[in-house]
């Protein structure tokens, strides 16, 4: 299991599909984070351009950087400098930011956390209190493809309590180099090549990638008894493992009447979950599929809710469910 980022300020609770988008039923399963303090009303930072320590090695975008010790006394303000300007999408408040980063302590240059050694960028919502305030207040507005260096004073990091496990004291100024890899929001869609949909007995899913909900046309045929999982748009990202956590857009309709019963598009909010936390049809249908793809998943009752549908849901006993899922990223 990949080690959790020390950046998280509050637990990033995973939504299960046990209620098909109803996170109220799973509050008890949200992971705790004893190493991640939850700040209350962090001060609004004054942003300055220094001082900042020199990046002495790994200077390219997505290269693991080497950073010198802080030069003298750090600023009491939030120091931010764009080392490499990006040309991609601008990060907005509430986006899911995908970033590689290295964090170290100003005085000692001791590295306490970095995503480069884990081999995968981290993903979390930005600007909404999911991460330390120094990140929230410095990275909104940056563009994908940027490398940004930060020097974060204690009150915008872990506060007076610090983070003893990471060697961060209550008066530690933190230095980060952050590579903005990508950003995702409610308008994000799959990216890849369209795949032919030739079988007249299988639902057809539209291939629009404008951020609007795809259409799903259910054939007037008997519902299948076995799982159907196939590409509508095939991405070129990493293949998902059964233990992965993913960030997705999705829409679900009932086979019997084609009516929508759940949709991240309707909520205007992306969904994240572990493949081991959802109904079997989702877990089996998405395992092995590539990040960036749009996938049709037809879930028969035995791999869905069977004779125990969610209470108060439009899903009835022994319903066959039809989903289109855009796999935006692996968390």
């Amino acid at each position: 299991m990949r080690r959790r980022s020390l950046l998280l300020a509050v637990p990033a609770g995973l939504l299960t599909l046990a209620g098909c988008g109803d996170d109220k039923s799973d509050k008890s399963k949200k992971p705790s984070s004893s190493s991640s303090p939850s700040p209350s009303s962090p001060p609004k930072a004054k942003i300055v351009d220094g001082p900042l320590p020199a990046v002495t090695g790994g200077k390219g975008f997505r290269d693991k950087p080497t950073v010198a010790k802080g030069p003298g006394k750090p600023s009491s303000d939030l120091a931010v400098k764009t080392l490499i300007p990006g040309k991609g999408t601008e990060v907005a408040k509430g986006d899911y930011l995908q970033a590689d980063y290295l964090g170290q302590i100003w005085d000692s240059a001791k590295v306490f956390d970095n995503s480069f050694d884990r081999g995968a960028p981290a993903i979390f919502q930005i600007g909404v209190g999911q991460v330390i305030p120094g990140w929230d207040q410095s990275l909104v507005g940056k563009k994908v493809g940027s490398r940004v260096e930060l020097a974060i004073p204690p009150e915008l990091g872990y506060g007076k309590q610090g983070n003893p496990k990471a060697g961060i004291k209550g008066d530690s100024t933190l230095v980060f180099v952050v590579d903005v890899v990508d950003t995702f929001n409610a308008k994000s869609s799959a990216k890849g090549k369209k795949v032919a949909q030739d079988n007249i007995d299988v639902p057809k899913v539209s291939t629009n990638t404008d951020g609007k909900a795809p259409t799903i046309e259910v054939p007037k045929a008997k519902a299948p008894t076995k799982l159907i999982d196939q590409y509508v748009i095939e991405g070129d990202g990493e293949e998902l493992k059964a233990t992965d956590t993913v960030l997705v857009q999705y829409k679900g309709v009932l086979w019997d009447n084609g009516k929508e019963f759940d949709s991240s598009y309707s909520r205007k909010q992306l969904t994240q979950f572990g493949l081991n936390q959802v109904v079997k049809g989702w877990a089996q249908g998405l395992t092995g599929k590539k990040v960036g793809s749009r996938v049709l998943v037809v879930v028969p009752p035995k791999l869905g809710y069977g004779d125990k549908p969610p209470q108060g849901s439009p899903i009835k006993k022994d319903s066959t469910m039809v989903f289109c899922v855009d796999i935006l990223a692996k968390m």
Side-chain angles (χ1 to χ4, degrees):
M1 181 177 291
R2 194 154 52 95
R3 185 168 68 88
R4 290 188 73 212
S5 167
L6 289 170
L7 283 170
L8 291 176
V10 295
L14 295 176
L15 178 67
T16 76
L17 211 69
C20 271
D22 181 5
D23 57 354
K24 294 179 181 178
S25 63
D26 199 55
K27 289 181 179 178
S28 64
K29 294 185 181 179
K30 291 183 179 181
S32 62
S33 178
S34 59
S35 64
S36 303
S38 179
S40 58
S41 301
K44 181 67 176 177
K46 176 183 177 182
I47 295 180
V48 296
D49 58 8
L52 285 160
V55 176
T56 58
K59 297 183 179 182
F61 184 72
R62 301 204 73 181
D63 291 337
K64 181 182 177 181
T66 303
V67 186
K69 288 173 62 174
K73 184 179 180 181
S75 174
S76 59
D77 297 316
L78 177 59
V80 181
K81 183 178 181 181
T82 299
L83 303 178
I84 300 174
K87 297 181 180 179
T89 304
E90 187 173 293
V91 177
K93 181 178 179 180
D95 278 8
Y96 282 83
L97 173 67
Q98 185 179 49
D100 268 319
Y101 67 92
L102 178 140
Q104 67 184 46
I105 297 169
W106 177 280
D107 292 335
S108 64
K110 177 188 174 184
V111 175
F112 59 84
D113 192 18
N114 88 91
S115 67
F116 296 94
D117 288 348
R118 292 193 288 271
I123 301 180
F124 30 69
Q125 272 190 292
I126 196 74
V128 293
Q130 290 284 309
V131 291
I132 56 176
W135 272 58
D136 273 345
Q137 297 185 32
S138 61
L139 295 176
V140 172
K142 300 302 181 186
K143 292 184 176 181
V144 171
S146 296
R147 167 167 282 193
V148 185
E149 187 176 11
L150 316 172
I152 300 176
E155 63 270 22
L156 297 174
Y158 293 96
K160 294 180 181 179
Q161 69 269 45
N163 190 323
K165 287 186 178 180
I168 299 171
K169 299 178 181 179
D171 61 354
S172 293
T173 290
L174 311 179
V175 176
F176 288 95
V177 174
V178 182
D179 288 350
V180 181
V181 177
D182 211 338
T183 191
F184 305 97
N185 55 40
K187 295 182 179 180
S188 297
S189 292
K191 297 177 182 178
K193 62 180 181 180
K194 298 176 183 178
V195 177
Q197 302 179 70
D198 299 327
N199 190 336
I200 61 172
D201 294 324
V202 173
K204 300 294 185 293
V205 179
S206 66
T207 56
N208 59 296
T209 56
D210 54 2
K212 296 180 181 179
T215 59
I216 302 175
E217 297 180 12
V218 181
K220 293 181 179 180
K222 187 176 180 180
T225 57
K226 294 184 179 180
L227 178 73
I228 295 174
D229 58 280
Q230 58 189 41
Y231 287 118
V232 176
I233 297 174
E234 184 175 355
D236 60 2
E238 184 178 351
E239 291 185 358
L240 296 179
K241 301 180 181 66
T243 54
D244 282 339
T245 296
V246 292
L247 182 69
V248 304
Q249 289 264 45
Y250 73 94
K251 175 180 175 180
V253 303
L254 297 173
W255 182 284
D256 288 344
N257 55 24
K259 288 186 178 180
E260 179 183 308
F261 61 85
D262 192 20
S263 170
S264 64
Y265 299 94
S266 298
R267 293 193 298 274
K268 295 181 169 38
Q269 187 175 14
L270 302 182
T271 298
Q272 56 176 315
F273 54 81
L275 292 183
N276 58 0
Q277 296 178 306
V278 294
V279 294
K280 290 181 180 179
W282 268 63
Q284 294 178 20
L286 296 182
T287 297
K289 296 298 187 290
K290 298 175 184 176
V291 172
S293 300
R294 175 170 296 167
V295 182
L296 166 70
V297 184
V298 181
V299 181
K302 64 182 179 181
L303 296 177
Y305 298 111
D307 60 358
K308 297 179 181 178
Q311 189 173 5
S313 167
I315 303 169
K316 304 303 180 185
K317 180 180 176 181
D318 294 327
S319 289
T320 296
M321 300 178 291
V322 182
F323 293 95
C324 65
V325 186
D326 281 15
I327 307 169
L328 301 179
K330 189 179 86 166
M331 304 291 282

